């Protein structure tokens, strides 16, 4: 549809921090629930018979406006800092909840399965400390 979608997340985390000399090590176990709107228009055709005579197909459209739980997510960001360098590693697991299904149209339906992912990042700070 042409309508914007809106999203909201609710999460819980707790950082565990360890410092030793110039090294800082942080682990942040996180659990998040993601919700969002699913604005879409579904158009389909219906065969109409008028007084037992065939007539032209009628096009019908339905607009859906749902705000639903979309997924649960668990992740464990790990951050290592030494001087001006930061290394981050975030493994995670996503469990999709609301998947759009169009009856009789698998080509228009969404497919989703649980997902394991990982992000890795390295950054350097330049300039004065």
């Amino acid at each position: 549809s042409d309508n914007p979608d809106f999203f909201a997340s609710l999460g819980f985390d707790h950082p565990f921090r360890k410092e030793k000399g110039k090294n800082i090590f942080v682990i942040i176990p996180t659990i998040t629930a993601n919700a969002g709107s699913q604005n879409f228009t579904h158009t389909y055709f219906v065969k109409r018979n008028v007084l037992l005579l065939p007539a032209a197909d009628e096009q019908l459209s339905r607009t859906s406006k749902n705000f639903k739980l979309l997924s649960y997510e668990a992740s464990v960001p790990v951050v290592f800092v030494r001087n001006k360098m930061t290394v981050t590693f975030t493994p995670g697991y996503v469990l999709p909840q609301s998947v759009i299904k169009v009856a009789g149209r698998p080509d228009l339906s969404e497919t989703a399965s649980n997902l394991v992912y990982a992000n890795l990042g390295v950054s350097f700070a330049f300039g004065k400390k």
Side-chain angles (χ1 to χ4, degrees):
S1 105
D2 292 334
N3 296 325
D5 283 311
F6 298 95
F7 298 94
S9 295
L10 175 64
F12 298 97
D13 64 36
H14 182 75
F16 297 93
R17 180 181 170 130
K18 177 78 174 167
E19 290 187 46
K20 187 170 182 180
K22 295 182 178 182
N23 299 327
I24 301 171
F25 185 73
V26 182
I27 296 177
I28 312 164
T30 305
I31 296 175
T32 307
N34 300 300
S37 60
Q38 294 178 306
N39 293 314
F40 61 92
T41 301
H42 175 65
T43 301
Y44 56 98
F45 293 92
V46 174
K47 293 221 180 265
R48 303 233 4 180
N49 290 322
V50 179
L51 299 174
L52 302 174
L53 298 173
D57 290 348
E58 181 180 358
Q59 180 177 331
L60 299 175
S61 293
R62 287 188 310 180
T63 300
S64 176
K65 294 182 179 184
N66 299 319
F67 192 86
K68 292 184 174 183
L69 176 66
L70 299 176
S71 67
Y72 293 109
E73 183 173 354
S75 62
V76 186
V78 177
V79 181
F80 174 74
V81 180
R82 180 173 175 96
N83 296 326
K84 295 182 177 186
M85 180 185 73
T86 302
V87 178
T88 58
F89 176 68
T90 305
Y93 187 67
V94 178
L95 296 114
Q97 298 300 305
S98 297
V99 180
I100 297 171
K101 298 287 184 189
V102 178
R105 293 296 306 268
D107 58 318
L108 297 177
S109 298
E110 293 180 331
T111 58
S113 58
N114 297 348
L115 173 70
V116 175
Y117 69 88
N119 292 318
L120 177 64
V122 178
S123 64
F124 296 91
F126 299 101
K128 293 183 180 181
K129 207 173 189 180

